[in-house]
Amino acid sequence: MRARSALAAPVAAVVLAALPACQTRSPATPAEAPTRPDGVVTWAASAARMDEEASDRGHRLVVRTSVGGRDLRIRLTNAFGDRPVTFDGLHAGLRKEGAALVPGSNRPLTFDGARSVTVPAGRTVLSDPLPGRLPATTDLVISFDTPDATGPVSGHWMAMQTSYLGEVGHTAEEGDAAWTRTTGSWFYLDAVSVRAEPGTGAVVALGDSITDGWQSTTDTNRRWPDYLARRLQRADTDIKGVANAGISSNKVLTDGGGQSALNRLDRDVLSQPGLRTVFLFEGVNDIKAAPGITAEDLIDGYRTIVERAHTAGKCVVAATVAPFKGWSEWSPAAEAVRQDVNAFIRDSGEFDAVTDFDRTLRSPYDPARLLPTFDGGDHLHPNDKGMQAMADTINLKSLDCAGPSSP
């Protein structure tokens, strides 16, 4: 393990700054990062381009918080749009059940004091802080209208969470009568942050469909980062925020299922407020793709992520690549690359800590396969039990490391 020293710039007490919230944040292109506000991220979902019509539509999006705190702020993204998008009637409330909200909890969000905001193409925007406390591990509901939205939507298509759609003009209502359609995606919303207790930090899980939660049970928050968030809430640690930066089919090196990990690192990970540690669990899609990449290629990608995270003063915990024999793209050559990559992750000392998901998930009778008890059925994605086993494998103290070593 890498020897570590304190960060050059210690994490300050998390007090939200009075930023002009309607100010749009870079990137000028989708690969660049928004300005990071003060606070701690409590939820996030990495956006990609979605070719879907969103005009004259109301959205009621359900997300699960990790860390609790005051003065929540939401981040809206138009990173992959090709024209401005106007958002009206934005509200935040707590879910009662379905699309219905806890009475009295639904409150308007503003942007520089205004009830609507227009986000240019390729940009993101932060709301003003909303006074009041947001509980940990609870269902937060963000409602808004997009009356004139055209062109590509920026969003997260595989939410593993039911949200709701309806006609415009009903976002202030706490009942569910107007929300007649369901969706399994999140649109335009890509992060929520809070002002937590001083010294509180967050971890961002950078990954693919396994981190995104595929084969876990929808609407139950059984992705492995969800199990991790619940562990952290009970633990004696300053790391309380968990953000899920998983995208189905995502790769480290090349775009495809969203932008590559290298191309989205700044926006989806390093821009998140309160970030202490990057949890890197990605690479199986690079390995199993045809033509396959070499172990050296993937290792170079990992090294670039570590270098960029360390330059930003963040730790990197890496997880070994899980077995996938039985998946249609498995081959002995791909397995050899996986073994070489995992040997590097375990033994190189280039990460601040290592979590051995491979050892947790593999079958003792055929280490190239998932243990049947953890197999979600396709021999690549763990089921709910596998997701929990992954989260239970993580040494929570490793997530609160002091930072990269001094030169």
Side-chain angles (χ1 to χ4, degrees), residues 33-390:
T35 299
R36 183 173 62 247
D38 291 334
V40 179
V41 62
T42 187
W43 173 88
S46 298
R49 176 185 170 122
M50 299 172 65
D51 293 319
E52 178 163 337
E53 177 60 40
S55 63
D56 201 30
R57 192 165 80 182
H59 305 74
R60 178 153 282 186
L61 306 181
V62 180
V63 306
R64 187 74 171 179
T65 66
S66 54
V67 62
R70 305 187 65 82
D71 301 339
L72 80 87
R73 305 178 80 176
I74 70 168
R75 192 172 81 179
L76 298 174
T77 180
N78 191 22
F80 296 91
D82 60 8
R83 64 205 74 185
V85 176
T86 296
F87 300 90
D88 289 333
L90 292 108
H91 281 72
L94 301 181
R95 185 163 78 142
K96 181 180 179 182
E97 59 181 356
L101 307 183
V102 173
S105 70
N106 200 29
R107 300 170 60 198
L109 291 161
T110 60
F111 294 78
D112 199 23
R115 294 289 183 90
S116 67
V117 64
T118 298
V119 185
R123 302 296 184 91
T124 62
V125 65
L126 287 165
S127 71
D128 300 328
L130 182 65
R133 182 164 185 83
L134 178 65
T137 58
T138 195
D139 285 347
L140 172 68
V141 179
I142 305 299
S143 304
F144 57 85
D145 292 332
T146 50
D148 304 309
T150 56
V153 173
S154 299
H156 190 89
W157 75 270
M158 195 180 80
M160 305 301 296
Q161 171 66 56
T162 300
S163 291
Y164 303 89
L165 305 174
E167 298 179 353
V168 299
H170 300 279
T171 59
E173 299 171 9
E174 294 178 327
D176 59 3
W179 304 97
T180 57
R181 291 176 287 157
T182 60
T183 178
S185 300
W186 290 306
F187 304 94
Y188 297 112
L189 178 71
D190 77 339
V192 180
S193 61
V194 295
R195 181 166 60 87
E197 292 298 320
T200 303
V203 57
V204 176
L206 177 59
D208 49 40
S209 56
I210 300 177
T211 297
D212 214 4
W214 183 241
Q215 295 293 0
S216 67
T217 303
T218 299
D219 291 332
T220 59
N221 300 300
R222 294 180 183 176
R223 314 164 193 85
W224 72 260
D226 298 318
Y227 283 110
L228 175 62
R230 290 190 281 273
R231 283 191 68 200
L232 288 168
Q233 294 309 308
R234 300 188 298 265
D236 182 18
T237 176
D238 289 334
I239 303 297
K240 298 294 183 183
V242 178
N244 189 329
I247 298 181
S248 180
S249 301
N250 200 234
K251 298 176 183 177
V252 173
L253 302 176
T254 58
D255 294 348
Q259 290 184 313
S260 70
L262 289 171
N263 285 337
R264 65 190 184 92
L265 180 66
D266 288 347
R267 183 188 63 251
D268 290 351
V269 181
L270 299 181
S271 72
Q272 298 297 351
L275 173 65
R276 196 82 57 84
T277 298
V278 180
F279 192 101
L280 175 61
F281 175 50
E282 190 155 9
V284 69
N285 289 319
D286 300 77
I287 292 171
K288 66 184 181 62
I293 53 91
T294 67
E296 290 74 19
D297 291 334
L298 191 51
I299 287 167
D300 284 346
Y302 290 156
R303 283 177 167 147
T304 299
I305 290 172
V306 171
E307 179 182 2
R308 288 167 60 185
H310 281 176
T311 298
K314 313 303 177 187
C315 296
V316 181
V317 176
T320 50
V321 180
F324 65 100
K325 186 177 180 181
W327 178 264
S328 60
E329 295 168 294
W330 185 90
S331 68
E335 178 64 16
V337 172
R338 187 180 75 89
Q339 293 293 343
D340 288 345
V341 167
N342 282 349
F344 168 79
I345 292 172
R346 292 186 183 106
D347 303 330
S348 68
E350 297 200 24
F351 304 99
D352 297 288
V354 171
T355 296
D356 204 338
F357 282 165
D358 171 47
R359 186 168 296 166
T360 296
L361 295 172
R362 71 193 182 199
S363 168
Y365 307 105
D366 186 350
R369 289 184 180 270
L370 289 174
L371 187 69
T373 303
F374 295 152
D375 193 338
D378 61 13
H379 312 302
L380 172 64
H381 299 92
N383 57 19
D384 293 350
K385 289 182 178 179
M387 294 285 182
Q388 183 168 8
M390 293 168 69

